[in-house]
Amino acid sequence: REAWGVLVDKLGIKNVMSVAKRKEFDEQLQRGDLPPVCEQTIAAILLGLAGQAQDFARDAAKEVFDILRPRGHWGGQYATNNAFRVGRRVILPNRVESAYRSGCFRCSYHYQQELTAIDGIFHLLDGKGIMKENRGPLILAIEACEGGRGETTYFRFRCFKNRNLHLEFRNLELVKELNLLA
């Protein structure tokens, strides 16, 4: 199990999977439902995963599209959030929380995979391939920022004490591609 976990992490396969597929893989890993580690099974699984890369990317894009269009009680109340497309800015509720240091924030544990998925899709759409890190630049920037404001290659963000994360997209062409793909 540990060998499969290391292989999948090092190859960045999780970063192209949707959050649901990632959870499914983690459950398989915990149960030990993966074949023994040998050259033939590694090659067969990697070739199978490579063949499914487009499907994984499409599923992940649809999932990120849904994440960025929060609906219901929490997400539908904000004017910047649109139920039909991702706009220039979105408000994501409950994604951040105050850190131990004054004026600093960290990502809510339950939403770290979602924020990593958002980063991963923008990497793919920008033609940079699969993101290698298991914690995306957005999470790292949020946790490193002072005063709850910062930016990454793809986002400007602002964190609030009410646990909301305001994201502004820096490249609207990538947002347009995400809307079309999803």
Side-chain angles (χ1 to χ4, degrees), residues 48-163:
L49 289 173
Q52 295 177 332
Q54 266 190 326
D55 294 335
F56 283 156
R58 191 173 21 263
D59 290 347
K62 288 177 186 173
E63 189 173 70
V64 166
F65 181 71
D66 287 339
I67 291 167
L68 294 174
R69 296 176 310 117
R71 295 167 309 285
H73 173 70
W74 292 108
Q77 66 186 354
Y78 303 112
T80 59
N81 295 350
N82 188 313
F84 304 106
R85 66 176 179 81
V86 176
R88 184 172 60 91
R89 294 182 306 163
V90 295
I91 298 172
L92 300 171
N94 298 314
R95 295 319 194 270
V96 294
E97 52 194 35
S98 294
Y100 299 112
R101 295 177 306 172
S102 178
C104 296
F105 291 86
R106 66 176 181 225
C107 296
S108 297
Y109 174 76
H110 299 291
Y111 294 105
Q112 287 185 9
Q113 287 187 347
E114 284 187 2
L115 295 177
T116 300
I118 292 168
D119 260 331
I121 283 301
F122 277 84
H123 263 76
L124 280 174
L125 292 174
D126 198 19
K128 293 185 178 177
I130 297 172
M131 187 176 65
K132 300 293 182 209
E133 302 85 21
N134 286 329
R135 296 180 75 214
L138 180 58
I139 292 174
L140 298 175
I142 288 170
E143 293 177 353
C145 76
E146 296 285 332
R149 290 178 183 248
E151 61 182 62
T152 68
T153 304
Y154 303 113
F155 315 104
R156 283 186 192 87
F157 64 86
R158 199 161 168 209
C159 305
F160 290 88
K161 288 186 179 182
N162 67 356
R163 304 186 68 184

